[in-house]
Amino acid sequence: MQADKFNKTMARQKASVDAGIERASQEQSVIVLLTGDGKGKTTSGFGMVFRALGYGQRVAVVQFIKGTQASGEELLLRNNFPEVPLVQMGTGFTWDTQNHAADQAAAVSTWQAAGAFLKNPSLDVLLLDELTYMLAYKFLDEASVLSALHQRSPQLSVIITGRGGGTGLRELADTVSEVKNVKHAYDAGIKARLGIDY
Amino acid sequence: MQADKFNKTMARQKASVDAGIERASQEQSVIVLLTGDGKGKTTSGFGMVFRALGYGQRVAVVQFIKGTQASGEELLLRNNFPEVPLVQMGTGFTWDTQNHAADQAAAVSTWQAAGAFLKNPSLDVLLLDELTYMLAYKFLDEASVLSALHQRSPQLSVIITGRGGGTGLRELADTVSEVKNVKHAYDAGIKARLGIDY
């Protein structure tokens, strides 16, 4: 790109960005839904949690699906930020347990913890990791979940990750990002790698 | 979903996941490209960095575009992980500076730092945040960048974020995830929020 053309393009972009900032003037907490079939939803959700911690905000994390090993995010939270509440559903990946009744009971009890965080007036950010699957499997009542999210403490922003989640959740969410899998090393026979894939 | 149907579905999913793990047997470092027009590329890249730190891995971060204020990720790295090398291109967002020559010089010098990390045999993960724009603006020579990535130290995985990036980079990357903007609070007039949007 030529220098003069570049400068004009940048000036136009800046004008458009500034106008957008001017228009968006409503201060309110938001619900962010990170969905889609691609890699990086949970990672992105935890990235937001760590960023909020960087600003000194108060955060809490609820994980509705948990692998059998402690993830790097979990280790980092526990070791470096022990003050952050971290609630994990106890049964591991549901396709490993294959016990419908136990999974549902675990989901309901985990949701109770989430419900308490949603009413907490001193939290800034709450991550509900993999919540969508609890709705897809009908472990949780969709109407109750949507209503608790909608009636949350007003300062609290909520990040929800997972594929799907249903129309109601998409409509309620202020921001929806979809992560699409374009290609994955795994499909080329490359082993999943610690620190990259999990 | 009925309990028996649920259990069958889960068993099928587990079998498919296990077969995939069996097939993917090649141990190697990877290049991950996080691209698309949606929110969460940089956040996801930093999420991977923090996860790797949780595992005790050695990471480095190079940011090719940097806002005028310190981000939460930057604050968290500097305050909690001062041992992590963090190199930032000095000129801020290019659409704020509108100085083509200065931006290009900054990009080239920042890329030199990235090049040194790429040859470092003791790093596990390197984040090249917003590198794609340096290619789009032709600040950096695409062939040299691709070749340095390809010839990196063999243990090192690289995460690259940003829209676009070109066909060459997409082909070289082992994993490509595209973040699609489905809707954004901003478009409904809601102000960008600290800890959520930036």
Side-chain angles (χ1 to χ4, degrees):
Chain A
M1 214 183 289
Q2 294 302 308
D4 55 343
K5 195 182 157 208
F6 172 84
N7 289 347
K8 270 185 209 154
T9 307
M10 291 297 107
R12 212 161 39 230
Q13 272 191 33
K14 178 168 159 51
S16 151
V17 166
D18 289 350
I21 292 168
E22 189 62 38
R23 269 196 310 276
S25 57
Q26 206 181 328
E27 267 290 6
Q28 64 169 72
S29 70
V30 292
I31 296 177
V32 177
L33 174 63
L34 304 172
T35 187
D37 68 348
K39 198 184 134 37
K41 299 181 289 289
T42 290
T43 313
S44 185
F46 269 101
M48 292 171 81
V49 161
F50 289 121
R51 182 174 54 192
L53 285 171
Y55 289 126
Q57 295 187 333
R58 292 189 58 179
V59 306
V61 174
V62 179
Q63 292 193 278
F64 285 92
I65 295 186
K66 185 198 164 315
T68 43
Q69 296 182 319
S71 69
E73 293 95 341
E74 180 184 339
L75 292 168
L76 195 74
L77 276 186
R78 292 202 192 279
N79 294 333
N80 295 72
F81 306 95
E83 73 283 9
V84 172
L86 169 60
V87 175
Q88 296 173 318
M89 200 168 117
T91 60
F93 274 105
T94 53
W95 49 81
D96 274 345
T97 65
Q98 297 167 32
N99 182 330
H100 185 269
D103 283 350
Q104 173 148 29
V108 169
S109 110
T110 309
W111 175 252
Q112 281 165 356
F117 289 134
L118 284 169
K119 290 187 203 131
N120 187 329
S122 67
L123 273 184
D124 297 296
V125 174
L126 173 62
L127 171 60
L128 300 177
D129 186 41
E130 322 262 28
L131 172 64
T132 59
Y133 304 101
M134 303 303 109
L135 296 171
Y137 300 156
K138 304 215 184 299
F139 285 168
L140 299 177
D141 176 57
E142 186 184 7
S144 315
V145 167
L146 295 182
S147 145
L149 288 170
H150 185 61
Q151 290 167 34
R152 72 191 182 278
S153 193
Q155 85 297 338
L156 177 63
S157 287
V158 182
I159 307 155
I160 297 166
T161 71
R163 295 188 195 195
T167 319
L169 187 59
R170 282 203 172 218
E171 275 169 16
L172 182 64
D174 302 287
T175 294
V176 180
S177 265
E178 201 172 297
V179 185
K180 213 180 113 194
N181 186 23
V182 179
K183 68 172 164 177
H184 199 290
Y186 190 77
D187 302 320
I190 300 173
K191 222 172 163 169
R193 200 165 172 91
L194 187 81
I196 290 291
D197 295 298
Y198 61 96
Chain B
M1 213 183 288
Q2 294 302 307
D4 55 341
K5 195 181 156 208
F6 172 85
N7 289 346
K8 269 185 208 153
T9 307
M10 291 299 106
R12 211 158 44 227
Q13 271 191 33
K14 178 166 158 55
S16 152
V17 167
D18 289 349
I21 291 168
E22 188 61 40
R23 270 196 311 275
S25 57
Q26 206 181 329
E27 267 289 4
Q28 64 168 72
S29 70
V30 291
I31 295 177
V32 177
L33 174 63
L34 304 172
T35 187
D37 68 349
K39 198 185 135 35
K41 299 181 289 288
T42 290
T43 313
S44 186
F46 269 100
M48 292 172 80
V49 161
F50 289 120
R51 181 173 55 193
L53 285 172
Y55 289 126
Q57 295 187 333
R58 293 189 58 178
V59 306
V61 174
V62 179
Q63 290 193 279
F64 285 92
I65 295 186
K66 184 197 164 317
T68 43
Q69 297 181 318
S71 69
E73 292 94 342
E74 179 184 341
L75 292 168
L76 196 74
L77 276 186
R78 292 202 192 279
N79 294 333
N80 295 73
F81 306 95
E83 73 282 8
V84 172
L86 169 61
V87 175
Q88 295 173 317
M89 200 168 118
T91 60
F93 274 104
T94 53
W95 49 82
D96 274 346
T97 65
Q98 298 167 32
N99 182 329
H100 185 270
D103 283 350
Q104 172 148 30
V108 169
S109 111
T110 308
W111 176 252
Q112 281 166 356
F117 289 134
L118 285 169
K119 289 187 204 134
N120 187 328
S122 67
L123 272 185
D124 297 295
V125 174
L126 172 63
L127 171 61
L128 300 176
D129 186 40
E130 321 263 27
L131 171 65
T132 59
Y133 304 102
M134 303 304 109
L135 297 171
Y137 300 157
K138 305 215 183 297
F139 285 168
L140 300 176
D141 176 58
E142 186 183 6
S144 315
V145 167
L146 295 182
S147 144
L149 287 170
H150 186 60
Q151 290 166 33
R152 71 190 182 281
S153 193
Q155 86 296 337
L156 176 63
S157 287
V158 182
I159 307 155
I160 297 167
T161 72
R163 296 188 194 194
T167 319
L169 187 59
R170 281 202 173 219
E171 275 169 15
L172 182 63
D174 302 287
T175 294
V176 179
S177 265
E178 201 172 297
V179 185
K180 212 180 115 194
N181 185 22
V182 179
K183 68 171 163 177
H184 199 291
Y186 190 76
D187 301 321
I190 299 173
K191 221 172 163 170
R193 201 167 172 90
L194 187 82
I196 291 291
D197 296 297
Y198 61 96

